């Protein structure tokens, strides 16, 4: 199967992408992993991407598309893939269409993980990270430490990352609504996009996704 996973920050895309890719036996292709892999291997695309990232800019569409194209042509993606973080705008979605057309393959589905904005803010702004090298993660509501501000594991100080602040989360949501959300409508007009609630337990969300894909959860 060839799937695109879409959703706002805090929707659990990374978790669901890993789980779904494993259950469907297809590679999970994320833009973050693509960037890191190309940069660590010092490919020409990686060098160009690093220049943009070091300057605090988004990696240009043409570089992201080129990396995705190269990754989707790898042997393990021959029978399918799950794209996470790409496409991130309508321009990239159109470029993906052209890419798939040249390869004579089509998308099977676009899964839209839906979560209320208030829940997104609660999920992200409530995260607390241990300052120790192990960086254990807690949440003030969902998995609070036994002692406020102290890591249960090593006793280190817990803190909130700058990009987890409510103000920053709202800005990230604004970017999502402006740039990425329009691709849901783009794919809906072609009958590919399906919206799935991302509320509830991780297993429940995975089951919903597999159900709309016509697959059963093997429980593994």
């Amino acid at each position: 199967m060839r799937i695109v996973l879409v959703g706002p920050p805090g929707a659990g895309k990374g978790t669901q992408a890993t789980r779904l890719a494993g259950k469907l036996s297809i590679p999970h292709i994320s833009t973050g992993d693509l960037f890191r892999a190309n940069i660590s291997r010092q490919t020409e695309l990686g060098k160009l991407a690093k220049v943009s990232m070091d300057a605090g800019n988004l990696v240009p569409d043409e570089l992201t598309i080129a990396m995705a194209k190269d990754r989707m042509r790898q042997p393990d993606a021959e029978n399918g893939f799950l794209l996470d973080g790409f496409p991130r705008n309508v321009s990239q979605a159109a470029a993906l269409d052209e890419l798939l057309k040249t390869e004579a393959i089509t998308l099977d589905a676009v899964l839209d993980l839906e979560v209320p904005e208030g829940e997104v803010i609660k999920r992200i702004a409530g995260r607390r990270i241990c300052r120790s090298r192990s960086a254990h993660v807690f949440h003030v509501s969902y998995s609070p430490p036994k002692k406020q501000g102290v890591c249960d594991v090593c006793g280190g100080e817990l803190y909130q990352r700058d990009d987890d602040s409510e103000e920053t989360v709202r800005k990230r949501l604004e970017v999502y609504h402006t740039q990425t959300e329009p691709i849901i409508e783009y794919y809906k007009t072609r009958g590919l996009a399906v919206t799935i609630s991302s509320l509830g337990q991780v297993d429940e969300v995975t089951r919903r996704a597999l159900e709309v894909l016509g697959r059963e959860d093997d429980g593994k």
Side-chain angles (χ1 to χ4, degrees):
M1 298 193 81
R2 296 174 177 88
I3 303 165
V4 168
L5 194 63
V6 183
K13 291 191 302 302
T15 298
Q16 291 303 325
T18 300
R19 291 169 64 85
L20 289 171
K23 289 178 180 293
L24 297 170
S25 299
I26 55 178
H28 167 205
I29 302 175
S30 77
T31 50
D33 289 343
L34 285 178
F35 297 158
R36 284 187 288 273
N38 277 272
I39 290 171
S40 67
R41 297 202 311 267
Q42 295 189 324
T43 66
E44 288 305 311
L45 292 173
K47 291 175 183 177
L48 292 171
K50 189 174 187 301
V51 171
S52 294
M53 295 169 73
D54 287 348
N57 299 321
L58 291 174
V59 176
D61 284 357
E62 59 269 24
L63 292 182
T64 303
I65 293 164
M67 289 183 193
K69 179 179 180 179
D70 178 68
R71 180 63 184 87
M72 287 187 286
R73 285 179 168 171
Q74 298 302 310
D76 66 333
E78 185 176 340
N79 295 318
F81 49 74
L82 188 152
L83 296 175
D84 168 19
F86 175 79
R88 68 167 179 250
N89 55 46
V90 173
S91 175
Q92 288 187 1
L96 176 61
D97 283 346
E98 290 301 312
L99 170 59
L100 296 179
K101 190 182 298 182
T102 62
E103 302 293 323
I105 57 179
T106 58
L107 286 177
D108 292 295
V110 175
L111 302 180
D112 166 33
L113 295 182
E114 184 179 64
V115 58
E117 192 163 299
E119 177 64 17
V120 167
I121 294 170
K122 183 178 180 181
R123 287 182 180 183
I124 299 178
R127 283 197 297 230
R128 298 295 183 269
I129 316 295
C130 180
R131 287 193 185 278
S132 71
R133 187 172 297 179
S134 55
H136 299 105
V137 181
F138 295 83
H139 192 283
V140 296
S141 298
Y142 304 128
S143 55
K146 295 175 182 177
K147 183 177 180 181
Q148 185 175 346
V150 179
C151 176
D152 290 353
V153 182
C154 68
E157 178 192 0
L158 299 181
Y159 76 105
Q160 182 186 55
R161 299 186 308 183
D162 290 341
D163 57 354
D164 285 347
S165 70
E166 182 172 337
E167 180 182 2
T168 302
V169 174
R170 290 189 183 279
K171 288 180 180 177
R172 290 169 62 191
L173 281 169
E174 187 177 332
V175 171
Y176 172 77
H177 292 318
T178 302
Q179 296 186 13
T180 305
E181 202 168 48
I183 73 172
I184 298 171
E185 189 60 35
Y186 175 88
Y187 284 118
K188 275 187 176 179
T189 60
R190 297 162 52 192
L192 287 172
V194 182
T195 299
I196 301 167
S197 172
S198 187
L199 295 177
Q201 297 297 314
V202 171
D203 287 344
E204 292 174 15
V205 179
T206 303
R207 280 196 293 271
R208 290 174 199 144
L210 290 172
E211 193 173 300
V212 301
L213 294 172
R215 299 296 183 93
E216 291 187 5
D217 189 351
D218 58 10
K220 296 180 182 179

